[in-house]
Amino acid sequence: MTKTSNQMWGGRFVAGPDAIMEAINASIGFDKRMARQDIEGSRAHAAMLAAQGILTNNDAETIREGLLTVLSEIEGGTFEFSTALEDIHMNVEARLKEIIGEPAGRLHTARSRNDQVATDFRLWVRDQMDAAIAGIEGLMRAFLGQAEAGAEWVMPGFTHLQTAQPVTWGHHMMAYVEMLSRDLSRFKDARARMNECPLGSAALAGTSFPIDRHATAAALGFDRPTANSLDGVSDRDFALEFLACSSICAMHLSRFAEELVIWSSAQFRFVRMSDRWSTGSSIMPQKRNPDAAELIRAKIGRIFGANVALMMVMKGLALTYSKDMQEDKEQVFDAADNLMLALAAMTGMVGDMTANRETMAKAAGAGFSTATDLADWLVRALGLPFRDAHHVTGTLVAKAEAKGCDLPDLSLAEMQAVHEGITEEVFGVLGVENSVRSRMSYGGTSPHRVKEQIARWKDVLK
Ligand code: ARG
């Protein structure tokens, strides 16, 4: 079968493309995901053309109605996508022509696929930013719920994954609320910055038709049109910012995922994942595997990969549009899908998990976790310089370690043998409950402070 030249741009072509040319060139396989945005953009464009007297009202209405028919065919799954028509823009227009005939050819007045794709993609990415914002807020609420339930529960705090000082479960949960709040504000910033409409930049230089770019921008929910047509068609910062925000968010998710993997292990048992979020082993009946947490931990790989990939695509591209830029979409689609999936799964897991209060409390007291409290007491009660107090405490830790016990298990006599000034009062600070209660500094782990933060965030998220 000999291919005829492209009906959209084939005027100066005699032969159709090689099959491989068609395969490398086509984006319809993935950009069909922007069908709704494409049709929305075209409807706004047609209405504006009519308002400006560039199209007749009749033609514009026929086009706008026809586009809705195309959309319902696509959404109903009856639309036949064609690779020969390259992309979503030309697939939609060709079908429009089949449905309404001649007026379809007038839709592309004062427009190019360059500003068209830039507009469609912005609309698509903007939706995903909104979805990410909603998803992050949902996850913040799940962490808040955990924090509220266990604002007073003690657990070991870690540095180097070594027991450091006792903290509260609520405090640990609220650390993620803080991280996620920064993700939220990053997405919101990026959304505000990207909300400019490239439509009407045309191929690259603008157009000689008397279009109203402010009208199309407003109709599509943008704050304003982009101010430079060359930049309008060749800017993909919005996609890169989406990927950068997504990467940092996915990095945060990966950190909690890792904690879940550790905490749900038989060695830790700090949390029990619900059946809904655990998987079994086909050979080892005792296993409850945290597969979802592991997959979330891994998602950062593809999401940050997409960020790097698109950076590389855009790097060194001379202005304005080059076909390289068609490579933007699959990266963003994949990253967005996986970020939303990870956010949803993490929200489900956090909402469903049960903290094992007793196990955490026991672990909180182990590993000499109140050594700092002892040193602080020596400073406060006996007036020792902190460095000396640190040394005395270190000696006491070594003594307890040699005895195979914890600090509160040493007798007063054993303590006084190291420093004669130590009194009975010291035992008051060696308990983990006292330890966390004493950390009243702003942002500290005391239940009192944690509850203040919970109240603050509940108010913000209500
Ligand atoms: N499918 C193309 C893309 O995604 C649309 C723009 C085509 N423009 C062009 N000048 N060939 O980038």
Side-chain angles (χ1 to χ4, degrees), residues 177-452:
V177 171
E178 292 292 332
M179 289 182 238
L180 290 164
S181 77
R182 292 192 296 273
D183 293 329
L184 194 65
S185 89
R186 261 185 286 276
F187 274 112
K188 286 181 176 173
D189 282 354
R191 192 200 190 283
R193 201 165 19 255
M194 74 166 294
N195 205 29
E196 298 185 341
C197 185
L199 192 60
S201 298
L204 74 165
T207 175
S208 57
F209 290 98
I211 58 171
D212 182 354
R213 293 193 59 208
H214 293 273
T216 39
L220 295 170
F222 288 105
D223 295 326
R224 63 192 81 84
T226 53
N228 181 302
S229 63
L230 303 177
D231 179 50
V233 295
S234 67
D235 168 37
R236 292 296 182 272
D237 290 3
F238 60 94
L240 287 166
E241 284 200 57
F242 174 77
L243 294 173
C245 296
S246 299
S247 296
I248 298 176
C249 180
M251 176 275 288
H252 288 150
L253 300 187
S254 81
R255 295 184 75 173
F256 190 64
E258 167 70 356
E259 297 201 311
L260 282 181
V261 170
I262 295 171
W263 292 351
S264 64
S265 69
Q267 289 70 25
F268 268 77
R269 289 194 192 286
F270 284 7
V271 297
R272 184 177 170 86
M273 310 292 288
S274 74
D275 284 358
R276 301 201 311 152
W277 297 103
S278 305
T279 50
S281 156
S282 52
I283 178 167
M284 297 165 284
Q286 84 282 11
K287 293 287 287 281
R288 289 172 68 81
N289 292 331
D291 288 31
E294 294 168 276
L295 287 163
I296 293 170
R297 184 173 60 185
K299 290 294 183 198
I300 176 70
R302 61 204 294 164
I303 294 172
F304 190 55
N307 192 2
V308 173
L310 185 55
M311 272 292 194
M312 291 301 107
V313 166
M314 295 306 294
K315 174 199 168 291
L317 279 189
L319 300 187
T320 54
Y321 179 87
S322 295
K323 198 65 178 251
D324 306 52
M325 290 161 69
Q326 181 167 286
E327 290 284 311
D328 55 3
K329 287 166 214 70
E330 284 166 292
Q331 301 296 343
V332 173
F333 291 166
D334 185 75
D337 289 345
N338 283 284
L339 180 71
M340 303 315 153
L341 194 54
L343 280 169
M346 187 64 99
T347 305
M349 281 194 293
V350 171
D352 269 16
M353 70 187 182
T354 323
N356 192 339
R357 192 177 173 179
E358 287 70 40
T359 311
M360 292 196 303
K362 230 166 126 194
F368 314 108
S369 67
T370 53
T372 317
D373 298 277
L374 173 55
D376 288 349
W377 181 84
L378 292 169
V379 171
R380 259 196 331 268
L382 307 185
L384 262 59
F386 184 77
R387 285 294 161 218
D388 297 349
H390 187 285
H391 191 83
V392 169
T393 306
T395 312
L396 287 167
V397 166
K399 211 167 187 170
E401 197 165 33
K403 261 188 86 182
C405 68
D406 273 312
L407 280 175
D409 306 322
L410 292 175
S411 69
L412 184 60
E414 283 169 317
M415 295 213 191
Q416 286 171 337
V418 177
H419 194 285
E420 68 280 5
I422 297 178
T423 65
E424 201 57 56
E425 196 193 298
V426 74
F427 290 100
V429 302
L430 294 181
V432 288
E433 307 277 345
N434 288 333
S435 166
V436 296
R437 260 198 293 278
S438 72
R439 293 213 152 59
M440 275 286 284
S441 51
Y442 182 80
T445 201
S446 88
H448 181 82
R449 289 289 180 231
V450 171
K451 285 175 188 166
E452 279 175 0

Side-chain angles (χ1 to χ4, degrees), residues 75-125:
E75 288 180 340
T78 58
F79 190 96
E80 273 182 45
F81 292 101
S82 147
T83 312
L85 288 166
E86 263 185 66
D87 55 26
I88 186 62
H89 323 294
M90 297 202 289
N91 268 268
V92 168
E93 195 185 316
R95 180 66 188 131
L96 182 67
K97 184 152 191 215
E98 285 172 8
I99 299 170
I100 68 167
E102 191 262 348
R106 301 182 185 275
L107 170 61
H108 214 52
T109 313
R111 179 177 88 168
S112 150
R113 270 190 298 154
N114 296 349
D115 59 338
Q116 191 178 355
V117 71
T119 305
D120 295 1
F121 197 33
R122 267 194 209 231
L123 289 170
W124 197 91
V125 170

